[in-house]
Amino acid sequence: MSQPVPIPHGLPMERDAGPFDPPRQITRLREARPVSPMVFPDGHEGWMVTGYDAVRQLMADTRFSSRQDIGVLHVPYETPGMPAATEPSPQIPGVFIAMDPPDHTRLRRRLTGAFTVKRMKQLEEHIKDVAERQLDELACLTPPVDLVKEFALPVPSLVICELLGVPYADRETFQVNSAKFLVKDLPLDEKMAAYGALTTYLSELVTRKRAATGEDILSDLARHDDLTIEELTGIAFLLLLAGHETTANMLALGTFALLEHPEQLAELRANPDLLPDAVEELLRYLSIADIFYRYATEDIELGGETIGKGSTVVVSLLAANHDARRFDNPDTLDIHRKARGHLSFGHGIHQCLGQQLARIEMRAGFDGLLRRFPTLKLAIPAGEVKLRTDMNIYGVHELPVTWTETAR
């Protein structure tokens, strides 16, 4: 049962315990009351779920809706932390992460074949080649260089562009607008302008693919007459955004974390067989996609509390992944940990569709980077690294690095 604990007003999001750790207030909240009431700045009362077991249970329970058109949505648009409430958001065609069954089921089913473990394994050698080619270009540069710009962002962008059939030459358009869309406190009109530019571009792209299909995922989807252009555009937006932003930030922030743990970095270089477990541990430890929202469609018991029908529920995957009831010494990076079971890809029907692709990209990226750059180090003090505390997907804006030698 819960213990007395101050009810948070607004959502504590500042990683004030260090660049890789959960906010102190969230940690205290989880230890005392893993399912806790919270008050939004406008006085609206909701809930915050921070405990591993409760988060996992909630995300598996479809009575907690993902639809943003059935409840008042509180998204950190205009101020750090939480804003005043907006009106319920209408459903956006194709954006299935904000849908419930059967709409979610119909759209997601169209994509499961494209992201099977078998298909991803077939792509593994090609993804390694993409990473190696980018590392070739990196090795030709004179350090210091920004690892985000020269490696962490290009690799997943190249891969997702190839898979979806998006011309990589258009990357400036989608990378700039994707980044703008993810800024927390960007004025809503600017955020929607970035979203509009992205969806206009993608709508034109999928319209062309419907007229003349190719060998890519968006072409495969365009062959289905029951999917509208609006739905195809929404799906493309979701896959493109998630397909490059998340992995790019994991590669950059993960490299930063390893450089800050030199003993583990040396061990990983000496024994690449540790890499699969290290990737899972970095995913757990960093939890770059943290906050998600659900809406209770009926009164639901969770973690000894009763969530009332209509309540807005804020879920912290970062807090759940650092729950000492599930992971020993959770605030410690340990590449030997068996971190499978972490919630960084979510859980339940909305579990990340591209998780196997992300794992392959991270294994290929970290393996190549550590092997090719044995003397890699930060080019600035760690405290000067610009963290993405202003973004809805955490990471680093830039990671200046240097080296004295390269290897093949």
Side-chain angles (χ1 to χ4, degrees), residues 267-374:
E267 201 174 349
L268 201 50
R269 274 205 179 96
N271 184 4
D273 290 343
L274 293 172
L275 197 56
D277 283 342
V279 164
E280 297 304 316
E281 171 65 350
L282 286 165
L283 284 161
R284 178 204 70 84
Y285 181 63
L286 300 174
S287 300
I288 58 165
D290 176 16
I291 298 298
F292 290 83
Y293 295 81
R294 294 291 186 266
Y295 308 93
T297 58
E298 58 184 81
D299 290 353
I300 305 170
E301 292 290 320
L302 183 71
E305 310 280 356
T306 300
I307 311 280
K309 180 179 178 179
S311 295
T312 301
V313 185
V314 179
V315 183
S316 173
L317 301 188
L318 173 65
N321 278 335
H322 283 249
D323 190 341
R325 298 175 184 91
R326 174 63 178 80
F327 299 103
D328 293 336
N329 301 312
D331 296 337
T332 300
L333 178 68
D334 179 5
I335 61 171
H336 295 280
R337 188 194 305 271
K338 303 298 180 186
R340 293 272 177 175
H342 65 75
L343 298 174
S344 296
F345 291 120
H347 182 63
I349 63 168
H350 289 285
Q351 192 171 42
C352 176
L353 192 63
Q355 60 179 293
Q356 299 306 333
L357 175 63
R359 286 184 168 106
I360 291 168
E361 289 174 327
M362 281 184 270
R363 289 198 296 263
F366 288 128
D367 174 65
L369 188 65
L370 301 188
R371 173 172 38 82
R372 301 277 302 269
F373 295 83

Side-chain angles (χ1 to χ4, degrees), residues 21-189:
D21 296 317
R24 290 186 179 95
Q25 189 178 346
I26 282 188
T27 298
R28 288 194 294 268
L29 193 64
R30 183 193 59 224
E31 300 316 308
R33 195 171 183 180
V35 180
S36 169
M38 69 173 288
V39 180
F40 293 90
D42 66 335
H44 171 86
E45 294 183 6
W47 292 84
M48 183 166 190
V49 184
T50 53
Y52 178 90
D53 290 339
V55 168
R56 189 177 167 92
Q57 182 183 335
L58 179 151
M59 298 193 89
D61 190 337
T62 53
R63 293 176 299 170
F64 288 104
S65 173
S66 296
R67 286 174 55 183
Q68 297 174 0
D69 61 330
I70 64 171
V72 177
L73 177 62
H74 299 255
V75 181
Y77 277 140
E78 297 185 340
T79 57
M82 302 301 291
T86 66
E87 290 301 307
S89 302
Q91 280 198 296
I92 301 171
V95 181
F96 54 87
I97 60 165
M99 295 179 180
D100 297 335
D103 297 326
H104 170 270
T105 312
R106 178 178 74 90
L107 294 177
R108 179 151 172 148
R109 189 178 288 145
R110 292 290 190 207
L111 285 160
T112 48
F115 289 95
T116 59
V117 174
K118 182 180 178 182
R119 184 163 181 185
M120 290 303 107
K121 282 195 179 299
Q122 290 170 347
L123 284 170
E124 191 157 4
E125 286 306 314
H126 177 62
I127 291 169
K128 286 180 183 175
D129 289 342
V130 170
E132 290 296 328
R133 286 199 302 273
Q134 200 60 38
L135 289 165
D136 289 341
E137 293 191 23
L138 183 63
C140 292
L141 300 176
T142 302
V145 302
D146 174 15
L147 197 73
V148 174
K149 179 184 175 187
E150 304 297 346
F151 180 68
L153 186 56
V155 168
S157 296
L158 278 159
V159 171
I160 199 66
C161 280
E162 283 190 21
L163 280 177
L164 296 182
V166 174
Y168 185 64
D170 296 342
R171 62 190 177 279
E172 286 293 321
T173 300
F174 69 76
Q175 286 174 353
V176 169
N177 286 308
S178 295
K180 273 190 185 174
F181 182 75
L182 291 169
V183 175
K184 286 178 193 170
D185 54 357
L186 191 72
L188 188 54
D189 59 340

